[in-house]
């Protein structure tokens, strides 16, 4: 439905902008052929279009195209049903190796595995974002085998505006609870170029997620040791949503209302960053 609606919107824009322009004859675009913002661009013009490539006299068209572009959010639910402990390089060209996908934690009370919780929240986030954002899901089931580097490359290939990585935490101390927010370190040569933007996005997301959920924040922290960051060409944030080793927080994390609060917080943060900056 989203794509159909986008198609209608685009057709409308083409009709309205065509009226104000003599030297541009747009081809018609039907909803059936509209698949993504990239195909919209190429099918309208025969080439990628951006505001500085538009033929003279079509500034209004460029403005309207910019409004059609929606931020593309790549959502990764951390882990998977079966861990894959085979090794892969921790970064492009690196000799250091790390397991492809480690197993996650587990609910001390709910007994729920982390991979399942992560996907529950990821699916809710996908739905919540659908209205205003384009979304790519790294995985939509638990029964997958996608390594951390492959997860990053899915988001690279999609040319996502940001990759959101959802995890839950575990600790030997069952009293420990709260949300932790990670971004790629500027000190790490593999992630220097994406660090700053990731941090900006994360600050907006963390602020809103904490205020929606009322969870304790354990901070916004750079990480230079995560394979899933090292392979990225696009910004990324990782949210540890809470501790499944804390009874109270474990139960809370599986509460659908609380999951909606997490999702609302993330969406508000992304909206603040992409639409209100
Ligand atoms: Zn995890």
């Amino acid at each position: 439905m989203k794509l159909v609606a986008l198609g209608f919107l685009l057709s409308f824009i083409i009709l309205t902008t065509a009226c104000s322009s003599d030297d541009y004859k747009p081809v018609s675009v039907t909803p059936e052929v509209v698949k993504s913002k990239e195909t919209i661009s190429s099918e309208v013009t025969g080439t990628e279009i951006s505001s500085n490539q538009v033929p003279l006299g079509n500034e209004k068209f460029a403005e309207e195209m910019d409004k059609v572009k929606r931020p593309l959010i790549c959502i990764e639910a951390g882990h998977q049903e079966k861990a894959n402990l085979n090794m892969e390089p921790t970064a492009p060209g690196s000799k250091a190796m790390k397991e492809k996908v480690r197993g996650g934690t587990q609910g001390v009370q709910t007994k729920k595995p982390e991979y399942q919780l992560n996907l529950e929240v990821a699916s809710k986030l996908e739905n919540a974002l659908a209205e205003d954002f384009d979304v790519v899901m790294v995985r939509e089931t638990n029964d997958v085998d996608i390594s951390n580097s492959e997860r990053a490359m899915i988001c690279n290939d999609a040319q996502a505006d940001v990759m959101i990585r959802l995890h839950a935490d575990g600790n030997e101390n069952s009293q420990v609870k709260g949300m932790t927010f990670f971004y790629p370190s500027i000190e790490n040569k593999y992630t220097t170029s994406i660090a700053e933007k990731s941090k900006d996005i994360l600050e907006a997301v963390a602020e809103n997620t904490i205020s929606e959920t009322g969870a304790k924040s354990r901070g916004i922290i750079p990480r230079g040791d995560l394979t899933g960051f090292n392979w990225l060409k696009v910004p990324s944030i990782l949210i540890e949503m809470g501790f499944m080793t804390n009874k109270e927080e474990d139960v809370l994390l599986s509460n659908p209302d609380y999951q909606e609060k997490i999702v609302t917080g993330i969406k508000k943060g992304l909206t603040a960053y992409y639409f209100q900056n």
Side-chain angles (χ1 to χ4, degrees), residues 2 70-71 73 129-135 270-271 274-275:
K2 180 179 71 179
R70 292 147 46 107
I73 313 298
L129 294 182
E131 201 178 317
D132 302 313
F133 299 84
D134 287 332
V135 173
L270 293 175
T271 301
Y274 288 105
F275 299 117

Side-chain angles (χ1 to χ4, degrees), residues 79 114 118 167-168 240:
H79 307 283
E114 184 198 334
N118 296 339
H167 281 260
E240 293 280 3

